[in-house]
Amino acid sequence: MTDVALFGAGRIGTIHAGNIVRQPDVVLKYVVDVDPAAASALSRRHGARTADVDAVFDDASVAAVVIASSTDTHAELILRAAKAHKAIFCEKPVDLALDRARACAEAVRSSGVACVIGFQRRYDPTFASLKSRIAGGEIGDPEMLVVTSRDPGAPPVDYIKRSGGIFKDMLIHDFDIFRWIMDDEGATVYATGSCLTDPAIEAAGDIDATAVTIRSRRGRLAQINTIRRAAYGYDQRFEVIGSKGLLQAGNHRPTEVVLWSSGAITADKPEHFFLERYRAAYAAEMAHFFDVVAGRARARTSIDDGVMALELAEAATTSWREKRIVTI
Amino acid sequence: MTDVALFGAGRIGTIHAGNIVRQPDVVLKYVVDVDPAAASALSRRHGARTADVDAVFDDASVAAVVIASSTDTHAELILRAAKAHKAIFCEKPVDLALDRARACAEAVRSSGVACVIGFQRRYDPTFASLKSRIAGGEIGDPEMLVVTSRDPGAPPVDYIKRSGGIFKDMLIHDFDIFRWIMDDEGATVYATGSCLTDPAIEAAGDIDATAVTIRSRRGRLAQINTIRRAAYGYDQRFEVIGSKGLLQAGNHRPTEVVLWSSGAITADKPEHFFLERYRAAYAAEMAHFFDVVAGRARARTSIDDGVMALELAEAATTSWREKRIVTI
Amino acid sequence: MTDVALFGAGRIGTIHAGNIVRQPDVVLKYVVDVDPAAASALSRRHGARTADVDAVFDDASVAAVVIASSTDTHAELILRAAKAHKAIFCEKPVDLALDRARACAEAVRSSGVACVIGFQRRYDPTFASLKSRIAGGEIGDPEMLVVTSRDPGAPPVDYIKRSGGIFKDMLIHDFDIFRWIMDDEGATVYATGSCLTDPAIEAAGDIDATAVTIRSRRGRLAQINTIRRAAYGYDQRFEVIGSKGLLQAGNHRPTEVVLWSSGAITADKPEHFFLERYRAAYAAEMAHFFDVVAGRARARTSIDDGVMALELAEAATTSWREKRIVTI
Amino acid sequence: MTDVALFGAGRIGTIHAGNIVRQPDVVLKYVVDVDPAAASALSRRHGARTADVDAVFDDASVAAVVIASSTDTHAELILRAAKAHKAIFCEKPVDLALDRARACAEAVRSSGVACVIGFQRRYDPTFASLKSRIAGGEIGDPEMLVVTSRDPGAPPVDYIKRSGGIFKDMLIHDFDIFRWIMDDEGATVYATGSCLTDPAIEAAGDIDATAVTIRSRRGRLAQINTIRRAAYGYDQRFEVIGSKGLLQAGNHRPTEVVLWSSGAITADKPEHFFLERYRAAYAAEMAHFFDVVAGRARARTSIDDGVMALELAEAATTSWREKRIVTI
């Protein structure tokens, strides 16, 4: 049996808890949260206990930690887990500061612990199928990538202030998609953006709409368009053109009902938000984590992936702020 | 040059006139209509003359006639044209009475004139492509056919009274689709129906919704569902399942615009009605007619096709009226 | 806590077991199967015990039974469960013989036990959404129903021989869809069919392709087309036309990947078969069953629904065998 | 009657000739081409005459000219037509050199002749419907535009050498789409590109894949992705996100046939290339031109539009060549 501690009993921590307890031979032992009521409620639901951070790291029986607490706690928890030789699953981003993220990666590397970063999109059935079809040669060599990444609404401005900005908070996933799908690294990044939906976001020093272009080392091109408030909901599509064809990843819809009315033909909007859209992906990434812990698999989303997506986010932030093309 | 006379200056006659004058080496010489104003307006638009029926048949220079006048005039015009050795294009149905339709077919046969019946759907790009893909073996042997055939609204009750009923007026096209797509003939027909949209249609002795099943000689199955008033518009789809797969023919839409709004994702309704939906088909069938007249092709929709679709319509009418399965 | 016994450790029993153990406050106590190895393996996976039928009915702590054993065992198990006052979930069909099914319904009624029949399609997210949108008035009064119900391949002929024939085995679901969606009962049934895919099916006295028409008491029309072997897979669609519009229920696909190649644009085939297609429906129906057991809901698919779907199946079988329209 | 002269009897001139002769009260009098055989064949087909340039401008009866000859002839023909007070339809681009294009615009302005530039996409039924729905407020204020513009194959390298490069030759249409759809002007342009498909294009000083970002004066964002060789064909889509929703313009397909095979569900590729895709648009723009000539409409695609699209193309070329963000 593998005993696990979960840091964070919020929205995403709750999802992870449900997936942890479904793994064979895995026991959710502790739930840790700064809000004792949240920790208590979630631990009770799954027959776990609440604990503080020290108690977790002092308990030698805990073999793995799942870090779903706020971003500013990630680095310290990773460093402690690496030191305590506990396997690590950590939500993105590793940290908002690139040097701290790199220090975490170094600590993971030298300690040799297993570490999986929560880029859940790579585990989504649609995205994973597309990737494996590229690997199977269906479209030849990937040449261009177009990513559409739109949220149904902006988070509270207080969250935005602490988020590291739209590129580290929201596009970090899209930068990871770029690296994964194109199997290439960024050479130059150009980012521009606007604040179109809420002046409070601008006052907080951030933007809510971006257009990013990445030119890869091999001369491949990627465009990412993002908006924090798409009136129609959550929109997560991308398409890759290769020498032999195009592969598109479309949205998922709650149902396959179509209405033909006197005005038009109407289908469901996409799944409401990331919790619904990536339900299967969250389950698959947690199963993968415990495969890694058990030595049955190598981490598909490593801490180095976390660092390199952050590098792109940092480059994009600089490009936007300084109105220039950034060479990586 | 081929001189042509057009009978009927109504909605469909107007379409045919426009397509006649686009044929190379074809001249629209006469337009004939019981309404002199309609004949006059249409002939003027295309540089033709008005005439009465006798004048057309007395003019030896007229090599071909296009019959788009009311159904009750078809048989006589076909008989006279056959006698006068003029090539014939005639709108469906040949006649409402099977024996008169057969007499027309016999006259055409014995005179040897070219004759094309206006089953325009066979010339539609989508339907014709589907048919040729069956012929190319894409789905193996066709086994079942499901036809959806719905109008956006019922014609005036006065028209319905003279129409021969829904099976001869509206489903005649679907019966032809069955014969053409399945390359088979009906063995038994079962039809039931209801009057769901307008009691005046029931008072006129007709129905506005039908469900028809045809079992073919080779044991293949076809279902046709029809309604005269589909609130969402004109709906013309069919699908054929064969031993190796399924081919579907979908509706055409005016534009490829899609709206993603806060409520749903909406696309255009199908093309408004038959004049819009089958615009390309009407052009192609007229081009085909003049290919037949010029000896460059054999009639793809012969008067025998007209007779046999009528046989199915008659059988369906009997099945519905007498509440029994009709063997052909 | 509710203790439950599961009869049947086959394909569908395994699905139910997984859903039973996910219900809060429900314990899977026994797994019963004629194959001791199957019972043993499934009970072990979920921490249950194996038992024989008598042991289950002798154990007063068992409050509910889930019957997923072969069809010929359903009636006896229902009768015993009703007598023992245990709540009943039973797979369709209740029985192949209408009188025995009616006797079961009578026993359930007089004993007053909760009873849910496994018409899982009513719990499918797409179908349930469509039904609730009809109830919400989106298409006005439902007038016609077209059901497409195709399997990816026929079951073994040995199974077909004991199945009661295609109408009781396969279309029983579609008959239930008709009653549920149209909120109406059949008045006449016409069924025809062919054996198109395997002569062994014909030799077994059955068919593999059917076309069924039901006319409802209120004069509404339904058509069902079925084939046991659709080369492209499992196809479960229906559409309802009402006075104000049309609602379609489409297939679900494994992924939303689309390939644009030099030949065509290609999307995924539908989900492979019923276990995949109705995964969410099976989970929802089992949750519903325990809501019924706990008194939180009334049975949405009652044993009367089971009997009435069987009546339609019987009428269709007669219509096909005797080549006549059957009045119910 | 309006007498018209057509310059250019190539692919696009042939399309225009067919549309000119369909206009009421319009006569195609002359066809001019450097290749006498081409001019002769096209003029014969439409009952026109061949002529040289001087003859056209010397003929006072010619009220309008349609310029579809090679790009390097546009400016001179526009200047002569303006001077001769003949209405002008001219294919894009006005000229490869911005100062010459501006001189043409000035000549048109001072002479007061009608002038329509052949940005045919604005007349496409799908694109025009989308634009009018924006104008109708369906998506509120347009905020971001994503344009996908891909050709099925590159033109001959000899053509590319004279084409002014990919931005003036191919993206000129997309720059016009940006201005038209966003109803805004570019403030900054960033363009990058690669030569991915044919080294001969690189040797000719051009590229075959581009990613362009335009930031508008009002802070709106547009991304354009282009490739000269899309293995799957001609791909012309765009989508506009506004404050209330998203409007997408999709590709048109030759037929609505869908195949469900054992491997996948497949639909037609998009229309083959621009002649097929924009057939309706070419007809509509020519009808519009003669509405302008007759004073029934104002030019929807003016020579100023031609100049401003060229400014964007020039800025993009500079951005790509000099690897910098260009401010307009």
Side-chain angles (χ1 to χ4, degrees):
Chain A
M1 300 302 271
T2 304
D3 282 4
V4 181
L6 169 67
F7 295 98
R11 220 161 36 163
I12 191 69
T14 301
I15 295 282
H16 289 324
N19 288 321
I20 290 167
V21 299
R22 266 179 216 170
Q23 307 307 318
D25 303 323
V26 170
V27 173
L28 178 60
K29 188 163 186 181
Y30 299 116
V31 174
V32 186
D33 199 286
V34 289
D35 174 358
S40 176
L42 187 60
S43 61
R44 223 175 314 120
R45 191 184 317 167
H46 294 294
R49 277 173 272 169
T50 59
D52 63 16
V53 173
D54 289 339
V56 167
F57 288 111
D58 288 348
D59 184 344
S61 76
V62 171
V65 297
V66 170
I67 305 172
S69 44
S70 64
T71 298
D72 57 355
T73 66
H74 290 183
E76 191 193 329
L77 293 172
I78 290 172
L79 294 172
R80 290 191 66 170
K83 200 171 168 191
H85 284 279
K86 299 185 191 303
I88 302 163
F89 176 95
C90 184
E91 274 302 314
K92 59 89 225 169
V94 175
D95 194 88
L96 296 181
L98 196 46
D99 53 354
R100 277 174 66 82
R102 284 180 181 140
C104 290
E106 182 49 38
V108 164
R109 190 159 30 240
S110 59
S111 77
V113 294
C115 181
V116 169
I117 299 298
F119 285 128
Q120 89 283 357
R121 293 186 195 180
R122 293 205 193 188
Y123 304 89
D124 174 67
T126 289
F127 295 176
S129 165
L130 187 150
K131 169 71 179 179
S132 78
R133 291 171 70 172
I134 293 178
E138 284 193 30
I139 58 166
D141 188 32
E143 296 171 344
M144 294 187 75
L145 172 70
V146 179
V147 178
T148 294
S149 181
R150 297 167 187 157
D151 279 1
V157 169
D158 271 355
Y159 173 87
I160 285 179
K161 281 177 187 162
R162 288 172 294 113
S163 73
I166 194 167
F167 299 105
K168 289 185 186 172
D169 177 45
M170 192 173 157
L171 282 86
I172 189 96
H173 285 292
D174 306 303
F175 294 131
D176 184 59
I177 290 284
F178 157 74
R179 295 184 59 251
W180 177 52
I181 290 295
M182 302 303 276
D183 205 7
D184 202 350
E185 301 296 338
T188 62
V189 175
Y190 167 74
T192 183
S194 286
C195 189
L196 299 173
T197 70
D198 184 356
I201 294 175
E202 192 159 24
D206 204 2
I207 48 181
D208 52 23
T210 70
V212 177
T213 303
I214 307 173
R215 199 183 152 80
S216 81
R217 291 188 189 156
R218 297 194 301 131
R220 272 57 187 160
L221 308 175
Q223 285 188 316
I224 303 167
N225 73 82
T226 330
I227 198 157
R228 281 200 184 274
R229 179 272 297 118
Y232 57 90
Y234 190 50
D235 191 359
Q236 300 276 302
R237 289 171 284 153
F238 63 81
E239 59 183 60
V240 202
I241 186 164
S243 49
K244 292 198 221 153
L246 173 80
L247 278 165
Q248 288 181 309
N251 287 309
H252 290 198
R253 298 185 292 189
T255 80
E256 294 299 324
V257 178
V258 173
L259 170 69
W260 304 37
S261 71
S262 63
I265 296 181
T266 71
D268 281 11
K269 293 195 305 176
E271 290 279 11
H272 175 62
F273 206 3
F274 63 96
L275 295 179
E276 294 81 8
R277 170 66 182 85
Y278 292 114
R279 187 188 312 270
Y282 287 122
E285 75 174 359
M286 202 48 68
H288 172 69
F289 173 54
F290 288 103
D291 281 346
V292 173
V293 170
R296 291 187 296 266
R298 281 189 58 235
R300 286 165 55 192
T301 44
S302 72
I303 194 162
D304 289 334
D305 292 318
V307 170
M308 296 184 90
L310 195 65
E311 279 180 12
L312 287 168
E314 190 110 327
T317 307
T318 303
S319 175
W320 160 60
R321 285 228 176 94
E322 304 183 3
K323 297 184 195 301
R324 62 180 180 89
I325 304 158
V326 172
T327 301
I328 298 178
Chain B
M1 298 303 271
T2 304
D3 282 4
V4 181
L6 168 67
F7 295 97
R11 217 161 36 163
I12 190 70
T14 301
I15 295 281
H16 289 324
N19 288 321
I20 290 167
V21 300
R22 267 181 215 169
Q23 307 306 318
D25 303 323
V26 169
V27 174
L28 178 60
K29 188 164 186 180
Y30 299 116
V31 174
V32 187
D33 199 286
V34 289
D35 174 358
S40 174
L42 187 59
S43 60
R44 222 175 314 119
R45 189 182 322 165
H46 294 294
R49 278 173 272 169
T50 60
D52 64 16
V53 174
D54 289 340
V56 166
F57 288 110
D58 287 349
D59 183 343
S61 77
V62 170
V65 296
V66 170
I67 305 172
S69 45
S70 64
T71 298
D72 57 355
T73 66
H74 291 183
E76 191 193 327
L77 292 171
I78 290 172
L79 293 172
R80 289 191 67 172
K83 201 171 166 192
H85 285 278
K86 300 187 190 302
I88 302 161
F89 176 95
C90 184
E91 272 303 314
K92 60 86 226 172
V94 176
D95 194 89
L96 296 181
L98 197 46
D99 55 352
R100 277 175 65 82
R102 285 181 180 138
C104 289
E106 182 47 40
V108 164
R109 192 159 30 239
S110 59
S111 77
V113 294
C115 181
V116 169
I117 299 298
F119 286 127
Q120 89 283 357
R121 294 187 195 180
R122 293 204 193 189
Y123 303 90
D124 174 67
T126 288
F127 295 176
S129 165
L130 187 151
K131 169 70 179 177
S132 79
R133 291 171 69 172
I134 293 178
E138 283 193 30
I139 58 165
D141 188 32
E143 297 171 345
M144 296 187 73
L145 172 70
V146 178
V147 179
T148 294
S149 182
R150 298 168 185 156
D151 279 2
V157 170
D158 271 355
Y159 173 87
I160 285 179
K161 281 179 186 162
R162 289 173 290 111
S163 73
I166 194 168
F167 299 105
K168 289 185 186 172
D169 178 44
M170 191 172 158
L171 282 88
I172 190 94
H173 284 292
D174 306 303
F175 294 132
D176 183 60
I177 291 283
F178 158 74
R179 296 185 58 252
W180 176 53
I181 290 294
M182 301 302 277
D183 205 7
D184 202 351
E185 300 295 339
T188 63
V189 175
Y190 167 73
T192 184
S194 286
C195 188
L196 299 173
T197 69
D198 184 356
I201 294 175
E202 192 159 24
D206 204 2
I207 48 181
D208 52 23
T210 71
V212 177
T213 304
I214 307 173
R215 200 185 151 80
S216 82
R217 290 189 190 156
R218 297 193 301 132
R220 271 58 185 157
L221 308 174
Q223 285 189 315
I224 302 167
N225 73 82
T226 331
I227 198 157
R228 280 199 184 276
R229 178 273 296 119
Y232 57 91
Y234 190 50
D235 190 359
Q236 301 275 303
R237 289 171 285 154
F238 64 81
E239 59 182 60
V240 203
I241 184 164
S243 49
K244 292 199 221 153
L246 173 81
L247 278 165
Q248 288 181 308
N251 288 308
H252 290 197
R253 299 185 291 188
T255 80
E256 294 300 325
V257 178
V258 173
L259 170 68
W260 304 38
S261 71
S262 63
I265 296 181
T266 71
D268 280 13
K269 293 196 306 175
E271 290 278 11
H272 177 61
F273 206 2
F274 64 97
L275 295 178
E276 293 83 9
R277 170 65 183 85
Y278 293 115
R279 187 188 312 270
Y282 288 122
E285 75 173 0
M286 201 49 67
H288 172 69
F289 174 55
F290 289 103
D291 281 345
V292 173
V293 170
R296 291 186 296 264
R298 281 189 56 233
R300 285 165 54 192
T301 44
S302 72
I303 194 162
D304 290 334
D305 292 319
V307 169
M308 295 184 90
L310 195 64
E311 279 180 12
L312 287 169
E314 190 109 328
T317 307
T318 302
S319 175
W320 161 59
R321 285 228 175 95
E322 304 183 4
K323 297 183 195 303
R324 62 179 179 90
I325 304 158
V326 171
T327 303
I328 297 176
Chain C
M1 299 302 270
T2 303
D3 282 4
V4 181
L6 168 67
F7 295 98
R11 220 165 31 167
I12 191 70
T14 301
I15 295 283
H16 289 323
N19 288 320
I20 289 168
V21 299
R22 266 181 216 169
Q23 307 306 319
D25 304 323
V26 169
V27 173
L28 178 60
K29 188 163 187 182
Y30 298 117
V31 175
V32 187
D33 198 285
V34 289
D35 175 358
S40 175
L42 187 58
S43 60
R44 221 176 315 121
R45 191 184 318 166
H46 294 294
R49 276 173 273 168
T50 60
D52 63 15
V53 174
D54 289 338
V56 166
F57 288 111
D58 288 349
D59 184 343
S61 77
V62 171
V65 297
V66 170
I67 305 172
S69 44
S70 65
T71 298
D72 57 355
T73 66
H74 290 184
E76 191 192 328
L77 292 172
I78 289 173
L79 293 172
R80 289 191 67 170
K83 199 170 165 191
H85 285 278
K86 298 184 191 306
I88 302 162
F89 176 96
C90 184
E91 273 303 315
K92 60 90 226 169
V94 176
D95 195 89
L96 296 181
L98 197 46
D99 54 354
R100 276 175 67 83
R102 284 180 181 140
C104 289
E106 181 49 39
V108 164
R109 192 160 29 240
S110 58
S111 77
V113 293
C115 181
V116 169
I117 299 299
F119 285 127
Q120 89 284 356
R121 293 187 196 179
R122 294 204 192 189
Y123 304 89
D124 173 69
T126 288
F127 295 176
S129 165
L130 187 152
K131 169 70 180 177
S132 79
R133 290 171 70 171
I134 293 178
E138 283 193 31
I139 58 165
D141 189 34
E143 295 171 346
M144 295 187 75
L145 172 70
V146 179
V147 179
T148 293
S149 180
R150 298 168 185 156
D151 279 2
V157 169
D158 272 354
Y159 173 86
I160 286 179
K161 281 178 185 163
R162 290 172 290 111
S163 73
I166 195 169
F167 299 105
K168 289 185 186 173
D169 178 44
M170 192 173 155
L171 282 87
I172 190 95
H173 285 292
D174 306 303
F175 294 132
D176 183 61
I177 291 282
F178 158 75
R179 295 184 59 250
W180 176 52
I181 290 294
M182 301 302 278
D183 205 8
D184 203 351
E185 300 296 339
T188 63
V189 174
Y190 167 74
T192 183
S194 286
C195 188
L196 300 173
T197 69
D198 184 356
I201 294 175
E202 192 158 24
D206 205 3
I207 48 181
D208 53 22
T210 71
V212 177
T213 304
I214 307 173
R215 200 185 150 81
S216 82
R217 291 189 190 156
R218 297 194 301 132
R220 272 57 186 160
L221 308 174
Q223 285 188 316
I224 302 167
N225 73 82
T226 330
I227 197 156
R228 280 199 185 275
R229 180 273 297 118
Y232 57 90
Y234 190 49
D235 191 0
Q236 300 274 303
R237 289 171 285 152
F238 63 81
E239 59 182 61
V240 203
I241 184 164
S243 48
K244 292 199 221 153
L246 173 80
L247 277 166
Q248 288 181 309
N251 288 310
H252 290 198
R253 299 184 291 188
T255 80
E256 295 300 325
V257 177
V258 174
L259 170 69
W260 304 39
S261 71
S262 63
I265 296 181
T266 70
D268 280 13
K269 293 195 306 176
E271 289 279 10
H272 176 62
F273 206 2
F274 63 98
L275 295 179
E276 293 81 11
R277 170 66 183 84
Y278 293 115
R279 189 188 310 271
Y282 287 121
E285 76 173 359
M286 202 48 67
H288 172 69
F289 173 54
F290 288 103
D291 281 346
V292 172
V293 170
R296 292 186 296 264
R298 282 188 58 235
R300 284 165 54 191
T301 45
S302 72
I303 194 162
D304 290 334
D305 291 319
V307 170
M308 296 183 90
L310 195 64
E311 279 180 11
L312 287 168
E314 190 109 329
T317 307
T318 303
S319 174
W320 160 60
R321 286 227 175 95
E322 304 183 2
K323 297 184 195 303
R324 63 180 178 89
I325 304 159
V326 171
T327 303
I328 297 177
Chain D
M1 300 304 270
T2 304
D3 283 4
V4 181
L6 169 67
F7 296 97
R11 220 162 36 163
I12 191 69
T14 301
I15 295 281
H16 289 323
N19 288 320
I20 290 167
V21 299
R22 268 180 214 169
Q23 308 306 319
D25 304 323
V26 169
V27 173
L28 178 60
K29 189 162 187 182
Y30 299 117
V31 174
V32 186
D33 199 285
V34 289
D35 173 359
S40 174
L42 187 59
S43 61
R44 220 174 317 119
R45 190 182 322 164
H46 294 294
R49 277 173 272 168
T50 60
D52 64 15
V53 174
D54 289 339
V56 166
F57 288 111
D58 287 349
D59 183 342
S61 78
V62 171
V65 297
V66 170
I67 305 172
S69 44
S70 64
T71 298
D72 57 355
T73 66
H74 291 183
E76 190 193 328
L77 292 171
I78 290 173
L79 294 171
R80 289 191 66 170
K83 199 169 167 192
H85 284 278
K86 300 185 191 305
I88 302 162
F89 176 96
C90 183
E91 272 304 313
K92 60 89 224 170
V94 175
D95 195 87
L96 295 181
L98 196 46
D99 55 353
R100 276 175 65 83
R102 285 183 180 136
C104 290
E106 182 48 40
V108 165
R109 192 161 28 242
S110 58
S111 77
V113 293
C115 181
V116 169
I117 299 298
F119 285 126
Q120 89 283 358
R121 294 187 195 179
R122 294 203 193 189
Y123 303 89
D124 174 67
T126 288
F127 295 176
S129 165
L130 187 151
K131 168 72 179 177
S132 78
R133 289 171 69 171
I134 293 178
E138 283 193 31
I139 57 165
D141 188 34
E143 296 171 344
M144 293 187 76
L145 171 70
V146 179
V147 179
T148 293
S149 181
R150 298 168 186 156
D151 279 3
V157 169
D158 272 354
Y159 173 87
I160 285 179
K161 282 178 185 161
R162 289 174 290 111
S163 73
I166 195 168
F167 298 105
K168 289 186 186 173
D169 178 43
M170 191 173 158
L171 281 87
I172 189 95
H173 285 291
D174 306 303
F175 293 132
D176 184 59
I177 291 283
F178 157 74
R179 294 185 60 251
W180 176 52
I181 290 294
M182 301 303 277
D183 204 7
D184 203 351
E185 300 296 339
T188 63
V189 175
Y190 167 73
T192 183
S194 286
C195 189
L196 300 173
T197 70
D198 184 356
I201 294 176
E202 192 159 23
D206 204 3
I207 47 180
D208 53 23
T210 71
V212 177
T213 303
I214 307 173
R215 201 186 149 81
S216 82
R217 291 189 190 154
R218 296 194 301 131
R220 270 60 186 156
L221 307 175
Q223 285 189 317
I224 303 167
N225 74 81
T226 331
I227 197 158
R228 280 200 185 274
R229 179 272 298 120
Y232 57 90
Y234 190 49
D235 190 359
Q236 299 274 304
R237 290 171 282 152
F238 63 81
E239 60 182 58
V240 203
I241 185 164
S243 49
K244 293 197 220 152
L246 173 80
L247 278 165
Q248 288 181 309
N251 287 309
H252 290 198
R253 299 185 292 188
T255 80
E256 295 299 325
V257 177
V258 173
L259 170 69
W260 305 37
S261 72
S262 64
I265 296 181
T266 70
D268 281 13
K269 292 195 307 176
E271 290 279 11
H272 177 62
F273 207 0
F274 64 96
L275 296 178
E276 294 82 9
R277 170 65 184 86
Y278 293 114
R279 189 187 311 271
Y282 287 122
E285 74 174 0
M286 201 48 67
H288 171 69
F289 174 54
F290 288 102
D291 281 345
V292 173
V293 170
R296 291 186 296 265
R298 281 189 57 235
R300 284 166 55 193
T301 44
S302 71
I303 194 163
D304 290 334
D305 292 318
V307 170
M308 296 184 90
L310 195 64
E311 279 179 11
L312 287 168
E314 190 109 327
T317 307
T318 303
S319 174
W320 160 61
R321 286 227 176 94
E322 305 183 2
K323 297 184 196 303
R324 62 178 179 92
I325 304 159
V326 172
T327 302
I328 298 178

